[in-house]
């Protein structure tokens, strides 16, 4: 029988010595829920997780940033609308748009914040069924040329947990056509569209590929025995989400494709 790590014991299952110096910032807003999980995923991938507070005025010496899920500022006004104006977000926007192109991953509420910040186009609204939904969701990887998807294969189907009530991605037809033409649809829902997102879009990137946002939660699929299994024979394993974090580490150390 395979021995599993105890809960709370973050063992780097994919670490390499060359990745050990990478520092990934994980942002916490009032109402953030998944910062601990995201930090754990970073450590499991082999990097150092750096706590970042929404009121910070600097990013410190981080190589990438994860904006995790939750309900920042209680989702008042709109999900992510207030968080967009946090002091730290100004630094993240500048760094993502700079020549250095800081890698930024927005997960669920983080995706909502990225659209509100105009780092990604479009917007997030209530699920078309108007209910909160929590399920394991199959995604197809459409773009492997972003900082966060280098370790996947084009067309690969992975299973990632999803939990949201404002998960419907919308944009005008011109924007959607541009995303498709430029290969900026990074993930698409397979088998079931859980929230009515246009064209089954689950995640997108900016033009440079350093900024990625998606609604499902890869940080909840990083450990053997503690993640989703394949659904109806499709999708992958319970560690399908770990590739997000190893991808960005390989990008940082210059091992990208």
């Amino acid at each position: 029988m395979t021995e599993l790590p105890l809960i709370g014991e973050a063992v780097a299952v994919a670490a390499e010595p060359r990745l050990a110096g990478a520092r990934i910032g994980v942002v916490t807003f009032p109402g953030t829920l998944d910062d601990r999980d995201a930090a754990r995923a970073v450590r499991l991938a082999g990097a150092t997780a750096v706590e970042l507070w929404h009121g910070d005025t600097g990013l410190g010496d981080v190589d990438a940033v994860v904006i995790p899920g939750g309900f920042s500022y209680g989702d008042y006004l709109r999900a992510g609308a207030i968080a967009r104006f946090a002091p730290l977000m100004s630094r993240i926007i500048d760094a993502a748009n700079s020549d250095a192109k800081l890698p930024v991953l927005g997960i669920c509420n983080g995706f909502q914040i990225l659209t509100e910040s105009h780092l990604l186009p479009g917007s997030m609204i209530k699920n078309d069924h108007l209910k909160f939904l929590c399920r394991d969701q199959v995604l197809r990887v459409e773009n492997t040329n972003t900082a966060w998807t280098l370790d996947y294969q084009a067309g690969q189907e992975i299973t990632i947990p999803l939990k949201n009530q404002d998960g419907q991605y919308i944009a005008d037809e011109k924007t959607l056509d541009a995303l498709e033409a430029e290969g900026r649809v990074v993930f698409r829902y397979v088998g079931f569209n859980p929230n009515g997102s246009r064209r089954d879009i689950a995640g997108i990137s900016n033009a440079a590929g350093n900024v990625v946002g998606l609604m499902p939660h890869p940080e909840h699929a990083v450990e053997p025995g503690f993640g989703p299994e394949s659904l109806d024979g499709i999708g992958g394993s319970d560690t399908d989400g770990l590739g997000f974090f190893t991808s960005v580490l390989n990008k940082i150390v210059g091992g990208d494709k």
Side-chain angles (χ1 to χ4, degrees):
M1 180 175 178
T2 303
E3 187 172 326
L4 299 175
L6 296 175
I7 293 176
E9 181 184 0
V11 179
V13 297
E16 299 179 29
R18 68 194 184 98
L19 305 180
R23 292 165 53 84
I24 312 299
V26 179
V27 183
T28 300
F29 297 92
T32 296
L33 301 179
D34 297 307
D35 44 351
R36 297 285 184 92
D37 302 74
R40 182 178 176 83
V42 167
R43 292 193 294 271
L44 283 165
T48 297
V50 179
E51 295 181 1
L52 296 174
W53 181 241
H54 69 108
D56 291 345
T57 56
L59 287 169
D61 186 22
V62 299
D63 301 296
V65 167
V66 177
I67 305 176
F71 302 90
S72 58
Y73 298 95
D75 279 353
Y76 291 115
L77 300 182
R78 289 186 310 276
I82 299 177
R84 178 263 178 272
F85 293 101
L88 188 65
M89 281 308 303
S90 295
R91 306 286 82 77
I92 292 173
I93 292 168
D94 289 344
N97 288 328
S98 70
D99 291 341
K101 293 181 172 48
L102 180 77
V104 179
L105 176 66
I107 303 169
C108 196
N109 189 226
F111 186 12
Q112 295 159 347
I113 294 169
L114 292 179
T115 61
E116 291 288 340
S117 303
H118 304 296
L119 281 172
L120 294 175
S123 188
M124 311 300 302
I125 63 173
K126 295 288 183 188
N127 296 341
D128 58 352
H129 46 76
L130 303 180
K131 296 178 181 178
F132 180 88
L133 181 65
C134 181
R135 58 171 271 135
D136 292 339
Q137 177 66 50
V138 178
L139 307 178
R140 183 169 59 249
V141 182
E142 303 279 17
N143 183 345
T144 60
N145 294 318
T146 79
W148 300 91
T149 56
L150 295 168
D151 285 355
Y152 294 103
Q153 300 295 317
Q156 182 177 350
E157 293 184 352
I158 60 177
T159 303
I160 302 292
L162 172 116
K163 50 177 185 175
N164 63 67
Q165 65 180 4
D166 296 278
Q168 183 179 178
Y169 177 74
I170 61 169
D172 59 57
E173 288 300 311
K174 181 179 179 180
T175 299
L176 292 171
D177 288 343
L179 289 172
E180 299 277 13
E182 296 167 13
R184 293 169 56 192
V185 176
V186 182
F187 300 98
R188 219 180 292 267
Y189 297 116
V190 174
F192 172 71
N193 185 327
N195 43 42
S197 290
R198 301 302 185 266
R199 305 190 188 185
D200 297 329
I201 291 173
I204 61 174
S205 74
N206 66 345
N210 60 306
V211 179
V212 169
L214 79 162
M215 287 310 297
H217 288 258
E219 77 281 11
H220 295 330
V222 293
E223 295 179 82
F226 297 101
E229 297 181 354
S230 62
L231 299 176
D232 300 324
I234 59 175
S237 72
D238 50 7
T239 58
D240 277 352
L242 192 62
F244 283 77
F245 305 95
T246 58
S247 289
V248 76
L249 297 189
N250 283 313
K251 176 72 173 179
I252 289 167
V253 299
D256 55 297
K257 298 176 185 176

